Amino acid sequence: MIARRAQALTAATGRTIAVTAVSARDRSRNRGVDLASVQWFDDPVALARSGEIDVFVELMGGSEGAAKDAVEAALAAGKHVVTANKALLAHHGAALARAAEEHGVTLAYEASVAGGIPVIKAIREGLAGNEVSRVYGILNGTCNYILSRMEAEGLTFEACLKDAQALGYAEADPTFDVEGFDTAHKLAILTSLAFGVEIDAEGVSVEGISAIQPLDLTMADELGYRIKLLGVAQATAEGIEQRVHPTMVPKASAIAQVMGVTNAVTVDADAVGELTLIGPGAGGEATASAVVADIADVALSSLAPALARPTFGRPVSGLATPRRVEMQRHEGGYYIRLTVHDRTGVAAGVATRMAEANISIESIVQRRSAKAASSDPQGLSGQPVPLVLITYAATEGNVRKALSAIDRDGLLAEAPQLIRIERD
């Protein structure tokens, strides 16, 4: 991309941008570009300290080890750093930003969140005059692909994951993606930018998508929703909620239309209202787009230092310590699927326990198969059947309290399914 856009980049920045050195584990791998004229470093830290470079671009990944050591070395040596490493920033962002400030260099990271979508610049610069109340989005293409396939084709999570791995969308060990940790790292970065607080990756409540069943997607569709894995950061009177979990979103919402490996980020702000950015969240070209944009910004700001931006929108000393809002205090609507014994009084027992926990039920649907309905019209067989509840706004703590009581009553045939609803 740098070679292809060489003239345009020079015209835009007033400087020539060229790759002069590379470090990687495998020197012999065919990378599709001619590296014959490029200096090779076996040690990335040595490259980071090289006097022949202006900018160190880190694309190795990981929160520790070579990536962390090399970025720290580059900043200490007075080199600008461009990175796509969300894990590194989620765990060490404040310390790295402080080092960049101390040495008068830039730490840029557009590619670390939502790939080719310029969401970092949109929040930090484009919305600088806005007060943000909520930022949320689809931040992992693997999960969105799996949920999209499950919905469209009625497939199981396991079958869709296998296909995602065959297509290269999911790793051999997909845990980091499908259990929500990748999304959590990205969300922690967005939270810092949106609310002017220190990154708090440990304060993110995380649930993945591996427990989602085809029935949940069918019920969501019938109820007017789609299920997406969302990362949500929201300012409340108590502090800032940070949560990653499968979420029901209204089918009419912009984010519900985002299918496949595409990412989307929505920002709720006082001046612009709701702003949604949609685009490719991963892949070589999308990531390169964000990386090259950061390199161009660094080139331009090195000629005009006044154009340089603080890493997280304000100096590190100006970032507030976030007040965590624990998940138990979250308040919203819930989809609850209970697998109960098909017998008289079960639904009434469930409703009683919900009422005791101050939970109002918006709708309740009991799903019995056609065969069960014809052979046992009175519902006296005791066979397990799904009972689906949609609640009005309730706290997580009260919902969990009610489910524990229902379980103690012996009404459940298996563990309940709980999916939060994110309404407009």
Side-chain angles (χ1 to χ4, degrees), residues 28-335:
S28 62
R29 179 181 164 195
N30 180 7
R31 294 177 168 83
V33 292
D34 184 6
L35 298 177
S37 62
V38 174
Q39 187 177 2
W40 188 274
F41 284 78
D42 291 317
D43 180 7
V45 174
L47 169 57
R49 292 173 175 156
S50 170
E52 303 301 313
I53 69 168
D54 301 300
V55 184
F56 180 72
V57 180
E58 185 274 309
L59 304 170
M60 294 178 283
S63 62
E64 305 295 335
K68 179 173 179 284
D69 294 344
V71 167
E72 290 176 336
L75 295 173
K79 312 295 182 185
H80 303 288
V81 171
V82 172
T83 180
N85 192 338
K86 67 268 181 181
L88 180 67
L89 291 166
H91 291 287
H92 307 292
L96 296 175
R98 189 175 294 108
E101 289 177 10
E102 290 172 354
H103 293 92
V105 293
T106 298
L107 173 62
Y109 54 97
E110 185 65 68
S112 67
V113 179
I117 305 173
V119 64
I120 303 300
K121 291 181 176 66
I123 295 176
R124 184 180 59 197
E125 297 158 34
L127 300 178
N130 285 253
E131 181 178 358
V132 175
S133 58
R134 179 175 62 162
V135 57
Y136 64 98
I138 298 167
L139 301 174
N140 184 275
T142 299
C143 290
N144 204 47
Y145 169 83
I146 290 171
L147 291 172
S148 298
R149 286 284 308 279
M150 288 179 68
E151 177 188 346
E153 301 175 42
L155 300 174
T156 64
F157 167 80
E158 291 77 13
C160 292
L161 173 59
K162 185 176 180 180
D163 285 350
Q165 290 171 319
L167 292 167
Y169 296 150
E171 303 289 341
D173 180 359
T175 304
F176 195 69
D177 288 322
V178 301
E179 297 304 337
F181 301 113
D182 174 77
T183 296
H185 285 160
K186 295 169 182 175
L187 180 68
I189 295 169
L190 292 181
T191 302
S192 178
L193 283 167
F195 302 110
V197 296
E198 298 169 353
I199 290 180
D200 182 23
E202 301 303 316
V204 183
S205 174
V206 185
E207 295 177 18
I209 65 169
S210 57
I212 299 296
Q213 300 294 321
L215 176 59
D216 299 316
L217 292 147
T218 299
M219 293 303 303
D221 179 59
E222 292 181 10
L223 294 164
Y225 296 99
R226 279 203 170 105
I227 298 176
K228 300 292 184 183
L229 181 77
L230 294 189
V232 183
Q234 184 169 4
T236 73
E238 291 77 29
I240 296 174
E241 286 187 3
Q242 292 189 95
R243 47 193 170 87
V244 173
H245 49 69
T247 310
M248 285 196 174
V249 295
K251 283 198 286 187
S253 64
I255 211 156
Q257 315 310 314
V258 180
M259 308 298 281
V261 296
T262 304
N263 281 197
V265 179
T266 295
V267 182
D268 291 340
D270 59 348
V272 299
E274 182 179 278
L275 176 68
T276 300
L277 304 174
I278 300 172
E285 287 285 308
T287 303
S289 174
V291 169
V292 172
D294 275 346
I295 295 171
D297 280 352
V298 170
L300 187 61
S301 63
S302 65
L303 290 178
L307 296 176
R309 299 277 183 168
T311 304
F312 297 108
R314 62 187 70 186
V316 174
S317 60
L319 295 173
T321 301
R323 287 183 295 137
R324 292 181 183 176
V325 177
E326 300 301 328
M327 197 64 207
Q328 290 290 97
R329 296 166 68 184
H330 168 69
E331 185 171 358
Y334 287 81
Y335 161 96

Side-chain angles (χ1 to χ4, degrees), residues 309-387:
R309 299 277 183 168
T311 304
F312 297 108
R314 62 187 70 186
V316 174
S317 60
L319 295 173
T321 301
R323 287 183 295 137
R324 292 181 183 176
V325 177
E326 300 301 328
M327 197 64 207
Q328 290 290 97
R329 296 166 68 184
H330 168 69
E331 185 171 358
Y334 287 81
Y335 161 96
I336 303 168
R337 176 171 57 79
L338 306 176
T339 302
V340 299
H341 300 290
D342 189 10
R343 59 180 183 241
T344 302
V346 168
V350 168
T352 297
R353 291 303 190 186
M354 290 289 173
E356 289 172 351
N358 296 315
I359 299 169
S360 297
I361 299 174
E362 180 178 332
S363 64
I364 182 167
V365 179
Q366 184 167 337
R367 272 297 183 89
R368 303 178 69 218
S369 69
K371 180 179 179 181
S374 61
S375 62
D376 180 28
Q378 300 300 317
L380 301 175
S381 69
Q383 294 300 309
V385 296
L387 184 70

Side-chain angles (χ1 to χ4, degrees), residues 382-406:
Q383 294 300 309
V385 296
L387 184 70
V388 174
L389 314 176
I390 299 293
T391 77
Y392 289 104
T395 65
E396 180 94 5
N398 282 350
V399 170
R400 297 289 183 185
K401 178 181 176 181
L403 292 179
S404 294
I406 292 167

